[in-house]
Amino acid sequence: MRRIKWVALVLAIFMVLTIGLTACGNSTDKDTNDNNAGNPSQGEEKLAAEQVLRVNWGSEPPDLDPQTSTDQVSFWIINAIYEGLVRQQPDGSITKGSGLAEDWRISEDGLTYTFELRDAQWSDGTPITAYDFEYAWFRAIEPETAAEYAYQFYHIKGAEAYNKGEITDRNQVGIKALDEKTLEVELVRPTPFFLSLTSFISYMPAQKAAVENLGEEFASSPDKMVYSGPFMIETWDKEQKLNLAKNPNYWDADIVKLERIEGDMITDNNTRINLYDTGELDVTAVPSEFIEKYKDTPEFGTAADATTWYLQFNMEDEYFSNINIRKAFAYASNRKAYVDNVLADGSIVAGGLTPPLLAGKDGKDFAENRGNLYDEYDAAKAKEYFETGLKELGITKEEFVKNVSFIGGESTWWSRTMQAMQQMWKDTLGVELKIEQMSFAMRLERYDSKDYGITLAGWGGDYNDPMTFMDLFVTGGGNNDAYYSNPEYDANIKKAMEGEGDERIDAMIEAEKHLAEDLPIFPLFHPARVYVQREYVKDIARFAVGCDTEYKWAYILEH
C-alpha cells in the first residue's frame, strides 16, 4: 500500500493529524490551502499550458463498479470518475455543497437525513437524480449482487434484513427518493459518521439505464460507463495504462484544472523510480530502499495513513484451523526486525488491528485506549506451539510444507515482505513455505473459494471511527476473508453499533481482545506513507482514511 523517514516523524504526524482529524480524517499535500485549493491565482503562480498529471496506479484496477469494488487502486479511479452526495474537502471535512447534495436536513433524533440534490448531469448529459442513488444503494444490498461492502449500509433501517433476504419489501428499507431532487434516508440508530460514510465508494450513484442495458459489461471499458465525477476514463489498455480526461459535464468543472491524468500500472520499484527520475512520472510512492535518496529533497513528502497490515489465516483451512499452528506462526514472526530492518521507512509495529488516528475516549485515540494486545517474537514458544499443533493434526513438518503455501501480491514490495516472513519461519520453525504471488483479483478468487491457508493482507480505514476496522470479522461479514466466527466478538460489535460514547469504545476494545486470543489475524505493522512529487504539482489531497488520494483540485504550474 503505502510508505517515511523516521518513526518519530511518523508519530509526530499522527499526533498532529489526530488533533485536526475531521469526519473522514486527512493529510493533505503541503501546498493545499483550505480556502484556495485548486486556485493558482495567488502570488506569482502561473498555470502550465498543458494540464497533464502523470501517475502510477500500481496495478490493473480489478473492478470499477462502485457497488462491488473493494480494492485501493479501483477506489482511486472510481473516486475520480464518480461523485456521491458529499466529497471530502482538502482539509478532510464534509461540508454542504461539497458533492451532489446541495443541502441536507437531519432530524432532531438523528435518525432521518433528507438530502436535496443540486442540478447535475451524467457524462451523457442526462440528469443525476435521487432515483440514481436509490437504485445504486438498493443494488448494493440486493442479495444477488453479493457486494462485499453491503454491510456498510446496515446503519440504514431495514438494509441488513433486506441484504440477508429476511425481508423483500423495499418499503421496509429506509432508502427513498421522494422526487428527482430529494432523497430520504432513515437510520437504525444515530450514526455520527453517516455523512462521512456517504462519500464512500459503495454509496456512489449508478445510472439504472447504463447498468441494466450493459449487464455484465458495465464498467468493463470506457464506453461501458457513464460518469458523475470530475473525470472520465479516456483510454484503458488493460494491465498497461489507464488515462483519465476532464468531464465537461461535471457540475463543478470550472474548479477542475487538470485536463488529463495519465496512469501507468507499474509494479516494479526500480522501474517506478527510474520513470520518476527521467521525468516520465510526476508523483510516485517511495519504496524504503530509496528513502535515503529523496528524504532531504523538496520533492519528498509524507502523509498519515490509517492502515494495518497483518497475517491472515483461513480459519476453515485444514491446518490453520488449529490454534496452535496459528500461534506458532505469530510467535515466529519478528515484527520489530521486519519494520526496522526490511521496511526501514518509519512504519510502526502494530499493537492491534485498529491503527492510531481513529478517535477513542478520554481525548485519546482508540489504539491508545486499547494498548498492545500481542506478544513479541519468541522462538521457543513458536517451536513449542508448532510441535503441539503438528501432533494434534497428526502430520509431519514435511507434510505441512507440501500442502501449505503463502499467498500475496505481485510487486517488488510484496516480494521483499513475503520473503522476509518466509525466512523468519524457516529459521524459527524449520519450514520453508512456498510463496505464491498473484494479482489482487486472483487473490480475491482464492479468498472467496477458501483456497488458501495463510496470506498477507492489509486494510485501510473507510471513515474516521474504529468500527471501520472492528466490524471486519463479524460472522459472515463481506470482508471476513479469515472466515472467523465468535459469538462473543459479534455481540461486542453489536453492542458497539448500538451503544454510544465510552460504552461503544469499551465494547470494541473487548472485541479486539477476542481477535488477539483467537488469532484469525496477526497484526504486523502500520505503514508510513512516503512519496515524491514534482514541485510544480499542486493540491493533490491526501487523506488518512477513505479514498486516500484526491485529484479534483490538483493542477500543474508552469515549469
Side-chain angles (χ1 to χ4, degrees):
M1 275 188 174
R2 24 227 203 255
R3 320 272 178 251
I4 157 170
K5 217 167 183 178
W6 303 286
V7 173
L9 181 54
V10 174
L11 292 175
I13 290 170
F14 280 174
M15 291 171 67
V16 170
L17 289 172
T18 300
I19 294 170
L21 202 62
T22 54
C24 254
N26 81 296
S27 170
T28 59
D29 177 66
K30 63 182 186 300
D31 295 302
T32 297
N33 181 290
D34 293 353
N35 299 314
N36 296 290
N39 179 7
S41 62
Q42 309 234 331
E44 298 185 8
E45 292 185 335
K46 186 176 180 181
L47 285 175
E50 187 178 47
Q51 289 295 306
V52 178
L53 177 69
R54 298 162 302 173
V55 305
N56 177 35
W57 302 124
S59 68
E60 170 76 12
D63 184 5
L64 293 184
D65 182 333
Q67 273 69 61
T68 58
S69 182
T70 62
D71 70 287
Q72 184 189 52
V73 175
S74 297
F75 281 12
W76 289 333
I77 297 167
I78 291 172
N79 189 63
I81 62 178
Y82 283 93
E83 182 147 290
L85 293 170
V86 300
R87 181 177 285 272
Q88 282 194 80
Q89 296 302 283
D91 65 353
S93 64
I94 299 296
T95 59
K96 288 187 176 182
S98 61
L100 292 174
E102 194 166 36
D103 198 4
W104 57 74
R105 300 184 303 278
I106 305 173
S107 62
E108 287 189 13
D109 61 7
L111 296 179
T112 303
Y113 286 65
T114 305
F115 296 94
E116 301 294 339
L117 271 62
R118 65 172 67 254
D119 292 331
Q121 296 179 333
W122 290 100
S123 56
D124 63 3
T126 59
I128 300 173
T129 72
Y131 297 105
D132 293 317
F133 282 95
E134 180 186 74
Y135 172 74
W137 293 12
F138 268 106
R139 181 170 176 258
I141 61 173
E142 288 287 354
E144 55 266 34
T145 303
E148 292 188 22
Y149 270 116
Y151 68 89
Q152 294 283 33
F153 293 84
Y154 288 2
H155 305 285
I156 298 173
K157 187 184 77 172
E160 181 174 7
Y162 188 88
N163 180 242
K164 293 180 176 179
E166 296 168 0
I167 61 173
T168 57
D169 183 359
R170 290 189 169 202
N171 290 322
Q172 294 180 262
V173 181
I175 303 169
K176 188 173 184 180
L178 302 181
D179 54 44
E180 289 198 345
K181 294 294 186 184
T182 312
L183 180 70
E184 183 181 85
V185 185
E186 294 180 72
L187 304 184
V188 177
R189 64 192 69 86
T191 307
F193 53 83
F194 183 70
L195 280 176
S196 170
L197 196 56
T198 64
S199 72
F200 187 61
I201 299 302
S202 302
Y203 278 82
M204 301 290 185
Q207 189 191 75
K208 182 178 181 179
V211 175
E212 294 187 348
N213 291 339
L214 293 168
E216 292 185 1
E217 291 187 321
F218 176 68
S220 63
S221 63
D223 61 340
K224 299 294 190 297
M225 306 175 74
V226 286
Y227 310 95
S228 60
F231 301 95
M232 308 180 297
I233 298 178
E234 182 179 53
T235 57
W236 186 358
D237 183 8
K238 299 293 177 74
E239 304 289 346
Q240 298 295 323
K241 200 172 188 71
L242 187 149
N243 295 340
L244 305 180
K246 181 176 177 178
N247 177 3
N249 283 336
Y250 178 54
W251 71 271
D252 206 18
D254 289 346
I255 291 295
V256 181
K257 300 295 186 293
L258 291 178
E259 294 295 334
R260 196 164 68 254
I261 299 174
E262 297 179 352
D264 291 319
M265 302 178 190
I266 302 160
T267 60
D268 181 71
N269 285 349
N270 290 316
T271 303
R272 179 196 314 166
I273 292 299
N274 182 60
L275 288 176
Y276 183 81
D277 286 344
T278 56
E280 295 179 65
L281 287 177
D282 293 316
V283 59
T284 187
V286 180
S288 59
E289 63 266 34
F290 292 99
I291 286 179
E292 284 296 316
K293 176 179 180 178
Y294 295 110
K295 68 182 178 66
D296 295 321
T297 70
E299 298 182 351
F300 184 81
T302 63
D305 191 4
T307 294
T308 304
W309 283 90
Y310 45 86
L311 295 177
Q312 179 173 280
F313 307 108
N314 179 359
M315 298 287 282
E316 297 186 9
D317 176 71
E318 180 179 357
Y319 305 109
F320 286 98
S321 57
N322 183 287
I323 182 62
N324 289 307
I325 296 294
R326 299 197 300 276
K327 284 183 176 181
F329 277 80
Y331 275 112
S333 301
N334 193 333
R335 300 177 300 168
K336 189 176 187 306
Y338 169 73
V339 165
D340 291 347
N341 303 322
V342 179
L343 289 179
D345 61 358
S347 297
I348 58 177
V349 172
L353 171 61
T354 306
L357 286 175
L358 303 180
K361 63 180 184 178
D362 302 327
K364 301 176 181 178
D365 66 35
F366 179 82
E368 190 175 357
N369 295 145
R370 177 207 61 217
N372 181 17
L373 300 179
Y374 293 84
D375 293 332
E376 296 305 319
Y377 172 77
D378 189 318
K381 285 186 178 180
K383 291 173 184 175
E384 179 183 346
Y385 282 122
F386 195 47
E387 291 300 328
T388 300
L390 292 176
K391 189 174 298 184
E392 290 171 347
L393 292 170
I395 61 171
T396 63
K397 284 185 180 181
E398 291 71 26
E399 290 175 287
F400 183 85
V401 170
K402 181 180 178 181
N403 294 293
V404 174
S405 63
F406 182 30
I407 74 171
E410 296 178 297
S411 71
T412 309
W413 180 87
W414 281 93
S415 297
R416 293 178 67 223
T417 297
M418 296 179 75
Q419 287 167 11
M421 293 292 144
Q422 179 193 51
Q423 189 62 48
M424 289 178 192
W425 302 334
K426 180 181 178 181
D427 292 344
T428 305
L429 302 176
V431 293
E432 185 171 2
L433 298 191
K434 175 187 175 184
I435 289 175
E436 291 187 77
Q437 293 187 253
M438 61 195 72
S439 69
F440 184 74
M442 289 180 65
R443 291 205 312 282
L444 286 181
E445 288 181 12
R446 293 283 291 270
Y447 293 167
D448 290 345
S449 62
K450 303 181 183 180
D451 183 20
Y452 82 98
I454 181 172
T455 184
L456 178 66
W459 188 262
D462 298 323
Y463 51 90
N464 183 26
D465 189 271
M467 189 59 74
T468 189
F469 284 84
M470 291 313 305
D471 63 5
L472 271 178
F473 296 104
V474 294
T475 301
N479 288 297
N480 182 359
D481 295 323
Y483 300 98
Y484 174 63
S485 180
N486 181 329
E488 293 182 14
Y489 175 89
D490 295 346
N492 276 297
I493 296 303
K494 186 173 187 294
K495 183 177 181 180
M497 284 279 197
E498 297 174 352
E500 296 180 8
D502 291 356
E503 177 189 25
R504 66 186 301 272
I505 298 299
D506 291 338
M508 286 188 280
I509 290 173
E510 288 303 309
E512 277 250 39
K513 290 178 180 178
H514 287 299
L515 289 180
E517 291 169 4
D518 297 339
L519 280 179
I521 61 167
F522 180 61
L524 297 173
F525 66 97
H526 306 304
R529 189 179 181 194
V530 185
Y531 60 91
V532 282
Q533 178 176 301
R534 304 292 180 199
E535 291 186 272
Y536 55 74
V537 175
K538 303 295 180 181
D539 286 3
I540 296 176
R542 294 178 170 88
F543 307 112
V545 294
C547 183
D548 62 13
T549 306
E550 170 67 76
Y551 298 107
K552 173 178 174 175
W553 297 279
Y555 59 94
I556 310 296
L557 290 180
E558 193 175 68
H559 56 279

